[in-house]
Amino acid sequence: MILRGHGFFNLWFFLHIAVSDQISYTRGLLIIPFRSGLDYTRFRYSNQANLWRRPSVKKEYGNEQVYFVGGGIASLAGAAYLVRDCGFPGQNIHIIEEMKILGGSNDGAGNEEHGYVIRGGRMLNDETYENLWELLNTIPSIDQPGLTLREEITQFDDANPTRSKARLVDSKGEIQDVNSMGFDMADRLALGKLIITPEAKMGKARINDWFGPHFFTTNFWYMWATTFAFQPWHSAVELKRYMLRFIHEFPRIQTLEGVTRTPYNQYDSIIMPLHQYLEPLGVDFTLKCTVTDLEFKEGDGITVTKLKVLRQGVEDVIEVKEGDRVIITNGSMTEGSSLGSMTSAPRLNGKGSSWKLWENIAAKKPGLGNPSSFDDHVDESKWESFTVTFQDSKFFDLMENFTRNRAGTGALVTFKDSSWLMSVVLAFQPHFRNQPEHVKVFWGYGLYPDKIGDYVHKRMCDCTGEEIMEELLGHLHFEAHKEEIMATANCIPCMMPYITSQFMPRLNSDRPQVVPEGSTNLAFIGQYCEIPDDVVFTEEYSVRAARIAVYTLFGINRPVEPIKEYQHDVRTLFSSLVTSFR
C-alpha cells in the first residue's frame, strides 16, 4: 500500500503505525507491508486443530515434583499444561493456596439469602486471548457433554452478542452520543507519539505526563479508562501496550462489541471446569496453606531449596529436591480486599502474604523484581466495587428500558459526570450456578473511592451498601422507584487496595522475567511477571505466563501462541485513523 503526499493525514497515519522497522518513509511515500499471513477475522479455534495437542513427551519423571504457589487461573493453567503437553503425572503437581477456595481473583460466591459477590468482572476478547482460548479448547465443558469449554463460551457469546446502546450517561441521566472520540489535534499527536516511542525511552512516565487536560475530558478517555480501569497517574507504557494490543477494538470502543462473555461469572464458568478437569488426574490441591518464604542454594544462580509455609497457623517446611520446580504467582491484585454490607463500609487493608513473599525473595536474589513499585502506592492503585442482589426484577426492568439493552448485551454503563466515576454492568441472568430464577445480580465499581459523592455527600470508601445504591439511583434518576428498588436490594461493597497496582509506573526490571536469568527451578506467573508486548489485567496474561513457565522449565520445544499484531493490519489501522477523527 502506498500513500502519496505530506499532509497531516499521512503524518498521523505514519505516527499511528510506525511501530517497527518494517515501515519505510522516503521521497514522500509511506510504504506499508501488508501481513497477509494474519487472520484478521473473528478469531475462533477449532477443536480438530488441537487434536495433536496430546501428551507426546516420552519422559520418565520419577519422583520430580512441581509446586505452584497460589491457586489462581495461572496455576491451574500451568498444571493443565504439565499434564497435557509434558505428560507429567498429576499426583506430582501441588497447588498451594492460602484461601479455602481456588480461583484467586477469578471469584464468584454467595447465595440468595446473604447476597452474591464478585470482586471484579472480566471481559474476554476473541481476537487477543490466544493462549486462553487454545487451552480452553482442550478442557471439557461440565454443562454440555461433547463440547469444549471454548466451544461452550463461543456458543453462549454468539447467542448473546454485546452491543452497548448506553455506554456513557451524563449528570442529567441522558445517554450520550459517543460516536465521536472527542479528540482535538493535540490529543491525536500525543497519542501518535505515545505509540511510536520505544518503551525503553518512556521509563516510569505516567499517562498524564503524555497528555494535556483536554484528553481526560474526551469520550475516548471515559470509555477506555472505565473499560480497562486506567487512571491518569498510571503507567504510560501500559497504556501504550493496551493501545497496540487492542487497536482493533478502538473503532468499536463505544459499543464494546469485542467483549466475549462467559455463561456465568468466571469462577463458575472457567475455574470450576479447570478444577474438575485436574482433580481426577490426581493433582494435589493444598488449601488454607500460606507460603511465607523461599530458601535458595548459595551462590550466584537461582535454585530454590525450601518452601517455608504456614499450615493453618503451624510453621512447616517443604524440601525442594533436585529435579523439582517451583512456580510462583507473585503479588495479587485482589489481596487485602475487604467486604462491607448494606449497613457497613469495607475497610482498607494492608499487604498480605503474596506481597510479603515477593518482598522476602526479591531481597535475597537479584533479578526477582521490585515489588515496591506495585505494592507501596495504595492511594493510586485502589478502587471499590459492589455487587447487588435483588429478590425481584424491578431494577433490571428499569435498566433494560433505559439502556435499550437486555441484561447480558450492554456491557458497561458509565456515569461520566459521577465524582466516583461509577460504572455498572448487568450480566446475563443467572450469573451464578446456584442463583434462583427470581433473583437478579449486577456488578459495579467506582474508580475514585476517595471522592465525595454527588447525591450522598460522603467518600465512596466510607459508604455503606445502602448509600452506594442511593448514589447510583440518583445518577439514574430513578428516585420515583427508590422505595420499591431498595426493598429487596442487598449491596455488598468491596474495597481492593491493589486492584490496579499492575498499572503503576515501573521500570522494565521491576517485574521479574517468567524464568529469571540463572534460574534452574524457579518461575513466576500471574500479573506481575514480564512478558514483552502483552497486557496485564487480563486472563490471557496469566495463562500465557503459565505456558511460558512450564515450557521453559521443562524444555518443551512447542510454540506458545503468538501475540496477534493488529497494528500491522492496514484495514485495522485505517479504521482506527478514521475513528480518531470522528
Side-chain angles (χ1 to χ4, degrees):
M1 178 178 178
I2 299 177
L3 301 178
R4 300 183 181 277
H6 291 283
F8 178 77
F9 181 92
N10 283 8
L11 173 62
W12 168 245
F13 205 75
F14 171 73
L15 288 175
H16 208 53
I17 63 176
V19 293
S20 76
D21 58 4
Q22 305 204 13
I23 299 171
S24 60
Y25 188 73
T26 59
R27 300 196 179 195
L29 301 179
L30 175 58
I31 304 172
I32 309 162
F34 179 70
R35 298 194 174 186
S36 59
L38 288 178
D39 176 11
Y40 300 107
T41 60
R42 187 164 170 81
F43 193 62
R44 300 293 196 196
Y45 278 104
S46 165
N47 191 41
Q48 296 299 315
N50 282 286
L51 290 177
W52 67 275
R53 292 192 181 279
R54 298 295 180 263
S56 58
V57 177
K58 302 298 182 182
K59 179 179 177 181
E60 295 297 328
Y61 290 103
N63 199 37
E64 293 178 14
Q65 310 290 317
V66 176
Y67 300 96
F68 286 95
V69 179
I73 190 171
S75 291
L76 296 175
Y81 288 129
L82 279 171
V83 172
R84 192 193 75 177
D85 297 341
C86 303
F88 197 82
Q91 63 270 22
N92 291 6
I93 301 172
H94 311 275
I95 295 179
I96 305 171
E97 169 56 48
E98 179 181 32
M99 298 192 298
K100 62 181 180 180
I101 192 171
L102 297 169
S105 298
N106 282 265
D107 60 344
N111 55 50
E112 174 187 3
E113 179 183 0
H114 298 103
Y116 293 92
V117 174
I118 38 177
R119 289 176 294 182
R122 278 147 200 89
M123 294 180 287
L124 310 181
N125 185 255
D126 254 3
E127 291 85 349
T128 54
Y129 285 36
E130 302 92 352
N131 290 280
L132 175 69
W133 298 136
E134 190 278 338
L135 174 64
L136 297 189
N137 208 41
T138 60
I139 305 299
S141 165
I142 61 177
D143 295 312
Q144 300 189 59
L147 290 186
T148 68
L149 202 51
R150 167 58 167 158
E151 291 168 337
E152 177 185 73
I153 294 171
T154 296
Q155 186 180 90
F156 172 81
D157 188 59
D158 285 345
N160 301 277
T162 298
R163 184 176 175 80
S164 175
K165 299 176 183 177
R167 184 63 186 85
L168 296 182
V169 176
D170 69 8
S171 59
K172 299 177 181 178
E174 296 178 354
I175 297 170
Q176 298 294 284
D177 180 356
V178 290
N179 188 56
S180 170
M181 295 298 101
F183 292 143
D184 62 18
M185 203 61 73
D187 297 329
R188 298 184 188 101
L189 288 171
L191 193 57
K193 180 182 176 183
L194 175 76
I195 288 173
I196 68 171
T197 302
E199 288 185 13
K201 293 184 178 181
M202 296 174 68
K204 299 180 77 169
R206 298 171 182 262
I207 297 171
N208 53 16
D209 293 331
W210 283 78
F211 297 95
H214 179 268
F215 178 79
F216 300 101
T217 67
T218 62
N219 285 337
F220 167 80
W221 175 252
Y222 286 124
M223 293 187 289
W224 197 269
T226 53
T227 299
F228 300 114
F230 275 109
Q231 311 246 32
W233 52 81
H234 283 156
S235 168
V237 169
E238 299 302 338
L239 178 62
K240 169 190 170 75
R241 287 195 181 189
Y242 262 78
M243 289 302 303
L244 293 175
R245 192 78 158 99
F246 293 106
I247 193 171
H248 59 288
E249 295 302 333
F250 177 47
R252 56 185 184 182
I253 189 65
Q254 74 276 12
T255 63
L256 292 175
E257 290 177 69
V259 171
T260 300
R261 293 291 190 184
T262 54
Y264 302 104
N265 62 80
Q266 276 77 55
Y267 178 83
D268 284 342
S269 287
I270 296 179
I271 299 301
M272 187 181 292
L274 274 170
H275 184 194
Q276 292 192 19
Y277 167 76
L278 293 169
E279 196 166 41
L281 298 172
V283 174
D284 167 44
F285 299 98
T286 301
L287 305 181
K288 294 188 287 186
C289 181
T290 304
V291 178
T292 59
D293 203 355
L294 306 182
E295 290 192 7
F296 297 93
K297 182 179 179 180
E298 293 184 6
D300 294 334
I302 301 173
T303 301
V304 180
T305 58
K306 292 180 182 179
L307 279 69
K308 294 184 176 181
V309 303
L310 280 175
R311 300 181 188 271
Q312 300 187 46
V314 179
E315 293 184 356
D316 198 359
V317 172
I318 297 174
E319 299 285 345
V320 179
K321 301 175 182 178
E322 185 174 353
D324 295 348
R325 281 85 161 179
V326 177
I327 303 176
I328 294 178
T329 300
N330 55 308
S332 168
M333 67 178 75
T334 51
E335 186 165 272
S337 59
S338 169
L339 299 180
S341 69
M342 282 291 281
T343 57
S344 64
R347 62 185 181 275
L348 182 64
N349 291 328
K351 297 176 187 176
S353 62
S354 66
W355 292 114
K356 292 177 181 178
L357 171 62
W358 188 10
E359 289 177 346
N360 287 341
I361 64 176
K364 293 180 179 182
K365 289 284 185 179
L368 303 188
N370 176 25
S372 178
S373 288
F374 309 102
D375 67 4
D376 283 333
H377 309 276
V378 168
D379 285 342
E380 296 179 318
S381 66
K382 68 182 179 184
W383 49 253
E384 187 171 342
S385 70
F386 53 96
T387 313
V388 185
T389 304
F390 294 105
Q391 297 297 321
D392 60 30
S393 65
K394 180 64 177 180
F395 181 81
F396 271 60
D397 294 341
L398 289 169
M399 282 295 292
E400 289 182 346
N401 182 63
F402 170 65
T403 63
R404 307 187 305 277
N405 280 111
R406 65 176 173 82
T409 67
L412 286 171
V413 177
T414 293
F415 304 94
K416 63 183 289 289
D417 298 322
S418 162
S419 60
W420 299 348
L421 195 51
M422 180 186 283
S423 300
V424 297
V425 56
L426 275 61
F428 184 87
Q429 304 293 299
H431 199 45
F432 294 80
R433 289 183 179 275
N434 66 336
Q435 180 182 331
E437 185 176 354
H438 71 278
V439 172
K440 307 297 180 184
V441 180
F442 80 90
W443 179 87
Y445 83 111
L447 269 176
Y448 301 121
D450 286 334
K451 296 287 185 69
I452 302 294
D454 302 293
Y455 295 89
V456 176
H457 299 296
K458 295 171 65 175
R459 298 188 305 166
M460 184 183 189
C461 59
D462 296 326
C463 286
T464 65
E466 182 176 2
E467 291 167 332
I468 289 173
M469 277 299 299
E470 184 178 340
E471 179 79 6
L472 173 61
L473 295 181
H475 282 289
L476 285 166
H477 296 270
F478 283 177
E479 290 90 345
H481 307 280
K482 178 180 176 180
E483 185 175 349
E484 187 176 0
I485 291 171
M486 295 299 291
T488 72
N490 182 5
C491 177
I492 301 177
C494 177
M495 173 59 73
M496 294 176 283
Y498 304 103
I499 187 61
T500 57
S501 56
Q502 65 275 14
F503 283 162
M504 292 305 299
R506 60 173 177 83
L507 297 175
N508 190 57
S509 58
D510 289 342
R511 296 197 296 226
Q513 299 297 312
V514 174
V515 179
E517 184 177 353
S519 171
T520 63
N521 66 352
L522 175 66
F524 292 96
I525 55 178
Q527 299 295 305
Y528 299 90
C529 55
E530 174 57 24
I531 304 175
D533 301 325
D534 210 352
V535 291
V536 291
F537 214 177
T538 62
E539 307 282 67
E540 170 64 19
Y541 202 89
S542 290
V543 174
R544 182 180 293 272
R547 198 172 189 184
I548 293 171
V550 167
Y551 285 11
T552 304
L553 288 179
F554 282 82
I556 301 301
N557 185 22
R558 186 171 288 178
V560 173
E561 298 295 329
I563 292 172
K564 285 186 171 289
E565 298 178 322
Y566 289 97
Q567 70 268 29
H568 297 298
D569 175 31
V570 173
R571 288 166 293 183
T572 299
L573 292 169
F574 184 78
S575 181
S576 296
L577 173 66
V578 172
T579 300
S580 72
F581 279 90
R582 286 203 309 237

